[in-house]
Amino acid sequence: MIEKKMFINGCWEAAVSGRSRQIINPFNQKVISEVAEGGREDAQRAIAAAREAFDSGVWSNLPAAERGELLYQLAGRIAEESEALAELESLDTGKTLEESRWDMADIAGIFRFYAGLADKDGGEVIESPIPNSDSRVVREPVGVCGQISPWNYPLLQAAWKLAPALAAGCTVVVKPSEITPLTTLMITELAAKLDFPPGVINTVLGPGADVGAELAESHLVDLISFTGGIETGKTIMRAASGNVKKIALELGGKNPNIVFADADIDTAVDYALNGVFFHAGQICSAGARLMLEDSIHDGFVEQLKARMAQIRLGDGLRQGTQMGPLISQEHLSKVEKYINVAKAEGARLELGGTRPLAAELQNGFFLLPTLFTECHGDMRIVQEEVFGPVITVEKFSSEEEAVRLANGTIYGLAAGFWTSNAGRIHRVAKQLRFGTVWVNDFNVYFTQAPWGGYKQSGLGRELGRLGLEEYTEVKHIFQNYKPEPLAWFGV
Ligand code: NAD
């Protein structure tokens, strides 16, 4: 049994309105839990608590090593509970247990990484050009942070935000997606048993349009960090302008996976699948846009079809399942709409495109792995984020054309390419306008390296050292240690 209330100022609280929301297992639509459904007034209480905790210095003035120690302890609790957390994540999102286990191992590691970094930045001494003076640059916590996460990687995305913010000395109000709040509630519970002062960590629940919007608009919040869709990101940017908040945005992607004819084709086929079908394609970095050099196109598509037809759909918690359902009926309908758009645009449906027929899948939000060929860069199915188990295939005939097509998108989150040509590796990696470029691999990320998007895929970076710096302000302290009158005015 996990907590079903919100955590505000060190106490578990029901929504002021008394409302609650049922949380559904997307595999069978059964109710897993019923949690508090917060509103603006709950968000305001949490923000006030975080403001007071920050302004009191109870967290930001604590020696950084002590903040790090508490984060180490939280990492330890997460590792101890990782199997329970993974099961809860799979129940809430439908993803396979194996995938949730990877996520939980990462999450414990993220807390450890930022625990270790908490006391490592001692600032910088600048060689002052002014005689008899000292000049130092230090980093200080930004303040109160609103942190809004999506439903596809609920706890992983929350951890990317929570761990560096706390390490930096900020106080936080975390808001998980209203449809997948359970693991965020569970780690809040783990944190609540440790010695974090009241008001340092606050977890609020509820819809984005109320609770999320309050976090983005409030003049008591200093930074808003958001992961989610591009349109929501734009709304948050506008809302955040009221008090010129710092903004960190991790938005969508439409990520090209380019295969040159000189690549190791068998491995590239395998990764064309790995790049898309984890979590039924509901991944911001999914390689949904497959680009194949002319001469390998037909054979590659045949291999892909044969493998895709064998993907085992089912309950994420059952051993042997390779792909679970989509998150909700609403999202399934959106993906189905895109399949109709693709057909109308003239893309050729090679496989899938419908819901599976198996009786045991009828209550879940399943869609068959879907493959479209004869796609072109100007189609909506190629340009827009579908966020489902759908691959589109485009052909190209030269390196220059591949790069031009790949860059022809408003997004810039990640791209991958496959080649055995050393010169091409340098040329293409340099020309691709994406925050992450994978060479002979796909969908690799780790805590130590920064993650984020070029262009409309976002603002700022998470993970790595940069992920900590996002939560800091830079202060220059100048000291004149031999002050003398200038004798300029009125003498
Ligand atoms: P979403 O934008 O619908 O919702 C994300 C979060 O924002 C939720 O918590 C939601 O309640 C909240 N929200 C909604 N409207 C809001 C508003 N007006 N003000 C404040 N908050 C609001 O996104 P989603 O459907 O939950 O997630 C899928 C999207 O997330 C995809 O576009 C995906 O690419 C993106 N994503 C990006 C990354 C990345 O690292 N770049 C990682 C994961 C997901």
Side-chain angles (χ1 to χ4, degrees), residues 26 29 151 282 325-340 353-356 361-368 386-390:
Q29 300 189 50
W151 49 257
Q282 302 167 114
L326 299 182
I327 192 70
S328 64
Q329 179 55 53
E330 188 191 350
H331 187 57
L332 173 61
S333 302
K334 180 187 148 195
V335 177
E336 286 179 319
K337 212 174 279 171
Y338 269 113
I339 288 170
N340 290 331
T354 57
R355 304 175 71 163
L361 303 181
Q362 295 313 304
N363 289 331
F365 308 119
F366 284 96
L367 187 74
L368 287 170
V386 176
F387 226 54
V390 180

Side-chain angles (χ1 to χ4, degrees), residues 31 79 84 93 116 206 208 211-212 246 267 279 284 331 346 365 373 392 413 422 465:
V31 176
T93 61
V211 180
K246 306 277 178 284
T267 308
H279 200 9
C284 54
H331 187 57
F365 308 119
T373 55
T392 62
L413 189 58
R465 272 187 184 276

Side-chain angles (χ1 to χ4, degrees), residues 148-152 157 175-178 208-209 212-213 226-229 232 235-236 250-253 284 385 387 413 451:
I148 302 175
S149 49
W151 49 257
N152 64 336
Q157 296 300 325
K175 190 203 96 61
S177 165
E178 56 274 34
F226 167 77
T227 300
T232 317
T235 304
I236 286 174
E250 295 287 350
L251 308 179
C284 54
E385 188 183 46
F387 226 54
L413 189 58
W451 177 262

Side-chain angles (χ1 to χ4, degrees), residues 26 90 219 221 238 275 300 397 452 464 488:
S90 284
H219 287 210
V221 173
R238 286 190 288 270
F300 199 105
S397 52
W488 178 274

Side-chain angles (χ1 to χ4, degrees), residues 113-359:
F113 179 79
Y114 286 109
L117 272 192
D119 63 353
K120 299 298 179 291
D121 188 349
E124 193 187 352
V125 176
I126 304 284
E127 181 61 42
S128 170
I130 298 168
N132 302 319
S133 73
D134 273 343
S135 179
R136 277 190 306 134
V137 175
V138 293
R139 285 188 176 270
E140 296 182 341
V142 163
V144 174
C145 302
Q147 303 188 318
I148 302 175
S149 49
W151 49 257
N152 64 336
Y153 283 83
L155 190 52
L156 190 71
Q157 296 300 325
W160 286 16
K161 301 181 188 307
L162 198 50
L166 292 172
C170 296
T171 60
V172 298
V173 181
V174 179
K175 190 203 96 61
S177 165
E178 56 274 34
I179 55 176
T180 57
L182 300 183
T183 46
T184 305
L185 279 173
M186 190 166 160
I187 71 152
T188 306
E189 253 189 293
L190 297 177
K193 291 179 184 147
L194 300 172
D195 290 333
F196 290 97
V200 171
I201 301 174
N202 303 275
T203 299
V204 289
L205 307 173
D210 302 319
V211 180
E214 184 64 35
L215 291 175
E217 290 166 18
S218 171
H219 287 210
L220 299 178
V221 173
D222 301 300
L223 176 149
I224 188 92
S225 174
F226 167 77
T227 300
I230 192 165
E231 289 310 320
T232 317
K234 289 180 188 173
T235 304
I236 286 174
M237 274 183 100
R238 286 190 288 270
S241 69
N243 68 329
V244 196
K245 279 183 191 59
K246 306 277 178 284
I247 310 178
L249 299 175
E250 295 287 350
L251 308 179
K254 190 73 185 190
N255 314 288
N257 182 12
I258 308 163
V259 187
F260 291 96
D262 58 19
D264 168 351
I265 300 298
D266 289 343
T267 308
V269 168
D270 193 60
Y271 274 78
L273 298 157
N274 300 337
V276 176
F277 295 116
F278 284 118
H279 200 9
Q282 302 167 114
I283 308 182
C284 54
S285 56
R289 188 179 176 192
L290 183 62
M291 298 172 50
L292 302 175
E293 192 158 359
D294 284 332
S295 60
I296 58 162
H297 176 275
D298 295 355
F300 199 105
V301 167
E302 283 316 306
Q303 282 197 59
L304 204 55
K305 270 166 72 174
R307 292 275 300 269
M308 283 173 63
Q310 315 260 358
I311 294 175
R312 291 189 296 278
L313 274 57
D315 182 356
L317 287 170
R318 192 179 305 150
Q319 177 85 17
T321 295
Q322 292 178 326
M323 197 179 97
L326 299 182
I327 192 70
S328 64
Q329 179 55 53
E330 188 191 350
H331 187 57
L332 173 61
S333 302
K334 180 187 148 195
V335 177
E336 286 179 319
K337 212 174 279 171
Y338 269 113
I339 288 170
N340 290 331
V341 166
K343 288 182 195 162
E345 286 178 312
R348 179 188 163 102
L349 181 64
E350 298 275 355
L351 198 74
T354 57
R355 304 175 71 163
L357 296 173

Side-chain angles (χ1 to χ4, degrees), residues 348-406:
R348 179 188 163 102
L349 181 64
E350 298 275 355
L351 198 74
T354 57
R355 304 175 71 163
L357 296 173
E360 72 272 18
L361 303 181
Q362 295 313 304
N363 289 331
F365 308 119
F366 284 96
L367 187 74
L368 287 170
T370 297
L371 181 66
F372 283 105
T373 55
E374 296 177 23
C375 298
H376 303 285
D378 55 1
M379 291 177 171
R380 281 184 64 196
I381 192 72
V382 171
Q383 287 296 332
E384 297 176 23
E385 188 183 46
V386 176
F387 226 54
V390 180
I391 298 180
T392 62
V393 182
E394 293 158 80
K395 276 185 193 174
F396 65 87
S397 52
S398 68
E399 184 180 303
E400 180 277 330
E401 186 187 16
V403 169
R404 182 171 47 77
L405 289 173

